[in-house]
């Protein structure tokens, strides 16, 4: 009887494991590249599709015009605030790496998480938004690195 109960518990748990979506690895390079002895680590980009320039820092840079320029969100991001990164910053950064550094690195370690923080109660973060941001960042990483044969080693998640 104990064996039967154990089997049922394992079978029930296995159903949960098998129901999760399969993970697909980023493609490996097709031909060997010359090695340079360098790697790049990219972490916690936190792109925010709701970020708007010149809005108030107090709204996570999502709405209301900042009354003073020192309280306004800027075009390429707002350091030392609760605002996440605008796509202007994340795209500019990855485009710069593409032009200036991609040919100089052997591989990329991609860590952290890719979704904005859920710090605006008027614009709550949803699972669909998280998945969409993960897909957008994956597409950009493919464009910048793996399409050129540079392996990307992802280790994603938040602490």
């Amino acid at each position: 009887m104990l064996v039967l109960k154990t089997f049922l518990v394992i079978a029930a748990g296995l159903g949960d494991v098998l129901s999760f979506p399969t993970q697909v690895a980023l493609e490996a390079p097709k031909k060997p590249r010359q090695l340079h002895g360098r790697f790049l680590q990219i972490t916690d980009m936190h792109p925010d599709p709701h970020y708007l320039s010149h809005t108030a820092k107090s709204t996570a840079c999502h709405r209301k015009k900042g009354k003073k320029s020192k309280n306004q969100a800027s075009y390429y991001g707002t350091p030392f605030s609760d605002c996440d990164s605008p796509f202007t910053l994340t795209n500019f950064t990855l485009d710069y790496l593409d032009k200036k550094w991609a040919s100089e690195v052997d591989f990329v370690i991609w860590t952290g998480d890719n979704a904005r923080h859920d710090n605006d109660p008027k614009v709550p973060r949803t699972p669909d938004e998280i998945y969409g941001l993960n897909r957008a960042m994956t597409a950009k990483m493919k464009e910048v690195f793996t399409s050129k044969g540079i392996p990307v080693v992802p280790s994603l998640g938040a602490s």
Side-chain angles (χ1 to χ4, degrees):
M1 187 67 169
L2 180 61
V3 173
L4 180 60
K5 286 182 182 178
T6 303
F7 176 75
L8 291 175
V9 169
I10 291 171
L14 188 58
D16 288 339
V17 171
L18 295 176
S19 67
F20 287 104
T22 57
Q23 295 184 8
V24 179
L26 295 176
E27 293 178 17
K30 306 247 186 284
K31 60 183 180 178
R33 298 176 56 243
Q34 177 185 352
L35 297 180
H36 299 82
R38 296 184 184 119
F39 73 92
L40 176 66
Q41 181 179 3
I42 297 175
T43 189
D44 294 292
M45 296 283 275
H46 296 286
D48 184 353
H50 305 286
Y51 185 100
L52 298 170
S53 295
H54 308 294
T55 55
K57 290 181 188 180
S58 61
T59 66
C61 300
H62 291 166
R63 64 189 164 282
K64 291 185 188 174
K65 184 171 171 69
K67 293 183 179 165
K68 295 181 181 177
S69 63
K70 69 177 184 173
N71 295 325
Q72 288 183 0
S74 62
Y75 183 74
Y76 283 110
T78 309
F80 311 111
S81 72
D82 288 336
C83 303
D84 285 310
S85 303
F87 272 105
T88 52
L89 175 62
T90 57
N91 287 335
F92 180 85
T93 300
L94 290 168
D95 289 343
Y96 179 85
L97 291 171
D98 185 15
K99 290 181 182 90
K100 302 292 185 176
W101 281 99
S103 63
E104 302 294 323
V105 298
D106 300 330
F107 63 95
V108 176
I109 299 173
W110 178 22
T111 60
D113 53 337
N114 302 302
R116 69 180 175 96
H117 293 98
D118 197 14
N119 58 358
D120 184 353
K122 291 190 178 181
V123 185
R125 187 180 65 187
T126 65
D128 283 343
E129 181 180 43
I130 294 168
Y131 299 141
L133 289 168
N134 283 334
R135 282 190 290 274
M137 294 306 296
T138 299
K140 192 69 175 175
M141 296 295 269
K142 283 181 175 182
E143 173 191 328
V144 173
F145 300 110
T146 58
S147 68
K148 295 169 180 66
I150 301 166
V152 173
V153 181
S155 178
L156 305 176
S159 57

